[in-house]
Amino acid sequence: MARSKAIKSGTPALDFTKLKLKGSPNEYLVAPEDLCKNAVPHLPADVYDVSAEDLRDAVMHVVSHQSRVELDGMDEASKAFEFVHYSAVLNFKDMISIRVLPVGAKQSTIAIYSRSKSGYYDFGVNKNRVEAWLEELEGEVIR
């Protein structure tokens, strides 16, 4: 993660159960279909054949290799993380909320919500980011 900033341990993470989408094209949500009570995910989350701890580690590994992304907050107990991505040219901020959820002892899933802090159109940036991170994550958990 390119920028250095203090990690706020225990920072309240996004509550996916209360999330309401804005309806704008600059947000993208992947989550288990039964998690969000007030939002329909753009894509249902996969279930991975790894523990929640292993999936969390894989998520952190994937995100740590992204440029211009920093960890802004976390709640380790609930395996929830808040990241900020800074655009290359104008330094716009996008927020990415991730939560790893156990499905069983050896299975887990993920909720990830990426959205722009400003503007209305993002030319598919948030969707592309989420899908690219999930593709990398798939490679991490299969290894």
Side-chain angles (χ1 to χ4, degrees):
M1 291 173 240
R3 297 172 181 248
S4 62
K5 183 176 178 181
I7 297 171
K8 300 176 236 171
S9 182
T11 297
L14 176 73
D15 185 347
F16 281 90
T17 64
K18 296 179 181 175
L19 174 65
K20 291 183 182 180
L21 297 177
K22 300 177 288 185
S24 63
N26 66 355
E27 62 183 345
Y28 195 71
L29 171 65
V30 173
E33 291 181 359
D34 60 345
L35 178 65
C36 303
K37 307 302 179 203
N38 303 308
V40 176
H42 295 95
L43 186 69
D46 289 336
V47 173
Y48 300 93
D49 290 327
V50 296
S51 69
E53 290 74 20
D54 288 344
L55 185 58
R56 177 211 49 221
D57 293 347
V59 165
M60 296 306 282
H61 185 258
V62 166
V63 175
S64 72
H65 289 91
Q66 307 303 315
S67 59
R68 300 179 315 278
V69 174
E70 69 180 35
L71 180 61
D72 190 47
M74 62 188 260
D75 181 347
E76 182 61 37
S78 64
K79 295 176 187 58
F81 306 91
E82 299 293 328
F83 297 96
V84 179
H85 176 264
Y86 295 88
S87 66
V89 178
L90 298 174
N91 214 31
F92 289 131
K93 290 182 183 181
D94 288 347
M95 301 299 299
I96 305 103
S97 301
I98 298 177
R99 183 158 183 207
V100 174
L101 302 152
V103 175
K106 303 255 183 196
Q107 287 189 315
S108 55
T109 189
I110 188 171
I112 181 168
Y113 177 50
S114 182
R115 68 269 187 205
S116 301
K117 291 292 286 180
S118 58
Y120 184 75
Y121 293 104
D122 71 348
F123 305 101
V125 169
N126 286 291
K127 176 183 180 190
N128 293 339
R129 174 186 305 114
V130 170
E131 291 180 354
W133 287 15
L134 290 173
E135 187 175 322
E136 287 184 50
L137 182 61
E138 185 77 22
E140 284 291 317
V141 297
I142 289 176
R143 291 184 198 175

